[in-house]
Amino acid sequence: MNDQFEPVIIGFTCNWCSYRAADLAGTARIKYPPNIRLIRLMCSGRMDPTFVLKALAEGADGVMITGCHPGECHYLDQNYKALRRVLLLRRTIGQMGIEPGRVKLVWASAAEGVRLAQEIGHFVEEIRDMGPLNWPGRLAAAHVNGHGRDDRLMPADMMLEEVPA
Amino acid sequence: MNDQAEPKERIGVYVCHCGSNIAATVDVADVAVWAKERLGDEGVVITHDYKFMCSSLGQELIERDIKEEGLTRVVVAACSPHLHEKTFRTACARAGLNPYLCELVSIREQVSWVHSDRQAATEKAKAVVAGGVERVIHNEPLEPLHIPIHPATLVVGGGIAGIQAALELADSGHQVYLVEREPSIGGHMAQFDKTFPTMDCAACILTPKMVDAGGHPHIDLFTWSEVVRVDGFVGNFTVTIRQKPRYIDTDLCTGCGICWEKCPKRVIDDVYEAGLGYRKAVYTPFAQAVPKYPVIDPENCTYFINGKCRACEKFCPTDAIKFDQEEEFITVQVGNIILATGFDLFDARRVPQYGYGRLANVFTSLEFERLCNAAGPTNGQIVMRDGVTKPELVAVIHCVGSRDRNYNNYCSVICCMSSLKFAHLVKERTGARVYNFYIDMRTAFKDYDEFYQRVLEEGTIFVRGRVAEVTDAARLPSEDGKLIVQVEDTLAGRQRRIPVDMVILSAGLEPRHDAKAVAHQFGISCSANGWFIERHPKLDPVATMTEGIFIAGTVQGPKDIPASVSQGAAAAARVLGRINKGEIELEPVRATIDARHCSGCRICNGLCPFNAIIFHEDAMVSEINHALCQGCGTCVAACPAGAISGSSFSNEQIMSQIEGLLLFDRPVRSRHFSAV
């Protein structure tokens, strides 16, 4: 066993496309790293941004949101709403000091088991390069510091602007 | 942390070996033992691993535990819920437990089949089980929704698929509204001469069905009509049909044909005759049209253009011509809708190197069908564009616009067979030498390959290779006045230039130009190519994701006549089953708004693609119509007040599942269990 960092990733799938792509990857015995754990939603539009924050706060190092390709949503166009939310969410977590790359959106149709497996493989490597997030640890540390704010969650340039009264 | 209160639920966890499918990669016994030890605080009271949980013995194991151990929740770790969710839910129901209190988590498709490291796979399986356990605690007992079904059906599109569907339903005694955009039903099949592989005449087999549909006591036929509005939901749609004015009183018209004999205006018929023939400004598209009543085309009618003429009115023996007729809107109630709106032929002009529209003797497949047809513009004579010369050398080019990344990458399915049919017809009627240029021969269904053998034996020359160009620029004296087909013969391994008199382009099938708009109107979705998406590509090809909307024929993808007829009948059978039952059961995956928490902000209203959210102006709250709601959950995620809950996928369920999945990954803030 080597000591390389094994990230933990939560994946959200939609019932009609990407969950079926995951099923297909299984049926076709396409291998991908075991670092991802999937949650089934009916639609990527069900993806509440707080789910992502919850996953990161509970110890995940990355979150992958998957859905039908644009124009192929089984609920017509709800995947566009997922797209909007993910773009906003990535900006938001960036402001919280978390790399936006820890949240990724992937389109996979029910026929794209291979593609989904490849995307999972790539994402695991991306997160492995970023290293552990350890958000729960950082939050706890912030709590211990007593001022209710974790300096390590703040980007350095933002901290410079903050002048103590 | 002191949340050590007694767990509320009694949970059973069942881990399936699936023979060796799961057990070879996941230590299932370890997962079961671990779940009992580690998840006891969550309420897990009993765990089992078993060879085949889906077997009757496996199911009985669950049923026995529910009864004897008083289980209130069940988690089965096995295959995908898309496979066996219903099996285990039914088992729970048999034992008296609400079926929605059972959760199936996938450790086969998502673990054992996609990972090879046994230790990592076992750890992941444990996380997946923990996620299921945390989630199932928040599952609620639900009842399936029961929706009553109106017994009438709307069929859109009067081609062979739509006619078949309409007849099946009407013959069983149920009301059908058949809507067709053109003046007559019949669709593309009515334009064909012969049908492969039996070479029976298309009209001979189609027109009896058209007549049946036209005169059926249970079919209301709306030709020259379009659906303009669809409201409601499965079981009870309200459909508005726009009847374009025919300018003919169909109660008086006898279809005698005097009007179009007397009409002085000749118009090129680019719909039915594919631009090769003429019709009058008042016309029926073809002699066997159903209904028999003509229409007046106001864009070409002399009276509509300059206010003079009225020849048809003068000569009509029953005074059926009504120039003041206006469009009508008819509203019908139906329980189900079958869409059979068919295809458009690929426009061969988009492949300029084949010269269609530029070189006179390049024909499309549809033009050639009309040339062959005894009722067509040449009375069935296969002649060149001059109308008299018989061709001596004919080229048939397959895959025009199909299997080509510049146009459509799919196979149009029918072109190989129709190209063979063309070769046969040319041989039979002109004795010409025929070349077929193909990429691959695809003759996959009953009696199709036998037909290919027959055409081979008749002496048609097959050249394997995609044609590069059709040109009239001769290089040799023997090419003078000919069309030259430039092709790489991939079997001979060389370039060839083959001079011919006539070229037939086997154009592919494309979705209707307005397919996306139609899909949107009926609330279903299109694939990237534009074909309507079926519920399941193999197991549910005629249903769609929208309850109550079915599809049949080429609207779902390229297919031949037998397949279109089968789908028409299949869609009708699906509808009939529902009509007979009188109601349908729907999965209770629905969103509900708690009016007490709704602030009336209306953010959710615009998010719903099914218009299921109604806003009550008086109470300033939104409400969700459960029959319209499809359960996607987008509104649940968007509600700023958290007033919307989604059954089966509630925030509590998903949040808890996240916690469960990450049980070992909280090095600091672990709850009452420590990281392993």
Side-chain angles (χ1 to χ4, degrees), chain A residues 94-98 138 149-163:
Chain A
Q95 289 167 353
M96 296 163 88
I98 300 172
R138 294 202 221 173
R149 195 200 68 207
D150 180 7
D151 292 345
R152 282 162 299 176
L153 289 178
M154 288 284 193
D157 54 339
M158 280 178 71
M159 285 178 59
L160 281 177
E161 290 167 18
E162 276 193 58
V163 182

Side-chain angles (χ1 to χ4, degrees), chain A residues 8 15-16 19 23 26 29-32 34 36-37 39-40 45-46 54 58-59 71 74-75 78 81 85, chain B residues 80-82 85 110 113-115 124 526 545 607 609 632-634 637 649 651 659 661-662 665-666 669:
Chain A
V8 175
N15 185 50
W16 307 108
Y19 194 89
D23 273 358
R29 315 293 202 276
I30 297 158
K31 304 294 179 208
Y32 56 82
I36 192 160
R37 298 161 194 180
I39 292 178
R40 179 167 64 121
R46 175 68 181 92
K54 170 81 174 174
E58 292 286 333
H74 282 279
Y75 300 102
Q78 303 302 63
K81 284 140 200 172
R85 288 177 191 156
Chain B
S80 166
H82 288 146
E85 187 172 67
Q110 286 178 23
W113 276 353
V114 289
H115 307 318
K124 179 170 169 183
C526 290
M545 288 312 306
L607 287 174
C632 68
T634 306
F649 291 87
N651 285 341
E659 282 180 12
L661 286 172
L662 295 169
D665 305 289
R666 282 176 293 187
R669 212 171 49 113

Side-chain angles (χ1 to χ4, degrees), chain B residues 75-91:
Chain B
V75 173
V76 184
C79 51
S80 166
H82 288 146
L83 206 60
H84 271 309
E85 187 172 67
K86 200 166 184 186
T87 309
F88 296 114
R89 280 182 174 175
T90 311

